[in-house]
Amino acid sequence: MQYEEKKHFYQAKGFYISCFLGLFAILCVVAVRNQVLNQEESNQNLVAELGEHTIEEGVENQNNQQIQGKNPTVEEKTATENQRNTGESAVAEVTDSPTITEVPTEQTIVTSVPKSDTSITEKKQAEVKEEETVSVLNPGEKEQGLTWPVNGEILMNYSMDKSVYFATLGQYKVNPAILIQGKEGDKVVSACDCKVTKISERSETGLTLVAEANGYKFIYGQLKDIEVKKGDIVKEGSTIGKLNKPSRYYTEEGCNLYFQVKEDGKSVNPLLFLK
């Protein structure tokens, strides 16, 4: 009885095990088949890519061959043109050779002429320069001229015929005066014997003094501690004030004396009058 039960039990279990093994075998077969198919597809794609690459290389090689086939023709044309140009240049050299031999003699003849002209020009320029340094205030005395109001370098020259760059303003405009470099507190002296006619505060030149003599006006800007007053007669070289900090129009240029000369109401170059 026990044997029959055990036999029946193992037969039932064997059936289930057989079913499980069969299903597992089927799944393995499907998985292997899918892997094979995927491998074949990837191989086909790789072959297709290699085929396209080969085709592209073939086209490039054909193009290169065509270009290389055309190059000899271009080189031959270039060589022909070079030969032609060489021949033309040789002919030109032969034709122009008589003219070249004549050039040195003409140059030698011409070079001797400017020497006398240069010396004459230099003499004239020296005479003009000497005349320009003559003070208009004292035309009969060549050694006379305006005294420098302060000792310093020229930061900005007079320029009424063309505009100059103003660093603080960041723009170009004409300059009717000269800017003489100095330090705050430096003494400013009168450029000549003159009469003080005006003292005022200006936005551009700060505290400004105007003096007159012989029809000329002398304008001193960027001052402080002025020691004279309107109506005073001031001697040449006497102190009229001190240099102040630059106004907001000249902060980039730095501390300077604004010095302007006017003749009959028109600005003129102060450097033509200074000693």
Side-chain angles (χ1 to χ4, degrees):
M1 200 59 191
Q2 292 179 353
Y3 175 77
E4 293 294 332
E5 290 179 356
K6 290 180 180 181
K7 183 178 180 181
H8 179 72
F9 172 79
Y10 286 117
Q11 287 178 351
K13 291 290 184 182
F15 174 78
Y16 291 117
I17 292 171
S18 299
C19 292
F20 175 77
L21 291 175
L23 180 62
F24 179 76
I26 293 171
L27 292 175
C28 290
V29 171
V30 172
V32 171
R33 182 176 178 277
N34 290 334
Q35 185 175 2
V36 171
L37 292 175
N38 291 334
Q39 185 66 31
E40 291 179 354
E41 185 177 358
S42 62
N43 291 337
Q44 291 176 358
N45 292 334
L46 181 61
V47 171
E49 291 178 359
L50 291 174
E52 292 177 358
H53 182 68
T54 305
I55 293 170
E56 290 177 357
E57 287 183 350
V59 173
E60 289 180 358
N61 292 331
Q62 290 179 358
N63 292 334
N64 292 332
Q65 290 176 359
Q66 291 177 358
I67 293 171
Q68 291 176 357
K70 293 179 180 179
N71 283 338
T73 306
V74 175
E75 292 177 356
E76 290 176 359
K77 289 183 179 179
T78 304
T80 305
E81 291 178 357
N82 290 336
Q83 290 177 358
R84 186 181 301 169
N85 292 333
T86 304
E88 290 177 354
S89 61
V91 174
E93 289 179 357
V94 173
T95 307
D96 296 341
S97 59
T99 307
I100 293 173
T101 55
E102 295 177 359
V103 170
T105 56
E106 294 179 356
Q107 290 179 348
T108 304
I109 295 171
V110 174
T111 52
S112 61
V113 176
K115 291 184 179 179
S116 58
D117 292 343
T118 304
S119 59
I120 294 170
T121 304
E122 290 178 353
K123 289 180 180 179
K124 289 183 178 180
Q125 289 178 349
E127 292 175 357
V128 171
K129 186 176 181 181
E130 186 177 6
E131 291 177 357
E132 287 180 349
T133 56
V134 176
S135 172
V136 179
L137 302 178
N138 303 284
E141 302 178 10
K142 293 186 178 181
E143 295 181 358
Q144 292 288 327
L146 296 178
T147 297
W148 282 76
V150 292
N151 294 322
E153 300 292 331
I154 301 296
L155 291 178
M156 187 175 295
N157 280 313
Y158 167 91
S159 181
M160 290 298 288
D161 56 343
K162 61 180 180 180
S163 59
V164 293
Y165 184 70
F166 285 71
T168 304
L169 300 177
Q171 64 182 12
Y172 286 86
K173 66 173 187 172
V174 295
N175 184 30
I178 60 173
L179 303 184
I180 308 174
Q181 186 179 32
K183 295 182 294 184
E184 184 181 358
D186 285 352
K187 289 184 178 181
V188 181
V189 301
S190 178
C192 63
D193 296 345
C194 56
K195 180 180 179 180
V196 179
T197 57
K198 187 177 182 180
I199 299 174
S200 62
E201 185 74 29
R202 299 181 181 179
S203 59
E204 181 178 356
T205 56
L207 188 58
T208 305
L209 182 147
V210 181
E212 296 184 12
N214 300 328
Y216 290 85
K217 282 187 178 182
F218 307 95
I219 302 170
Y220 307 80
Q222 316 259 33
L223 300 177
K224 71 174 182 177
D225 300 335
I226 292 180
E227 299 180 6
V228 296
K229 62 183 183 298
K230 181 179 178 180
D232 286 353
I233 303 298
V234 182
K235 292 293 184 180
E236 180 178 354
S238 60
T239 303
I240 60 175
K242 296 179 181 179
L243 275 183
N244 198 357
K245 294 179 181 179
S247 70
R248 59 192 179 93
Y249 286 80
Y250 298 99
T251 54
E252 292 294 329
E253 287 77 5
C255 186
N256 68 85
L257 174 71
Y258 176 95
F259 184 58
Q260 183 180 2
V261 178
K262 285 187 175 183
E263 179 182 7
D264 297 328
K266 182 180 179 181
S267 295
V268 292
N269 191 351
L271 294 177
L272 298 178
F273 302 94
L274 292 169
K275 293 179 182 180

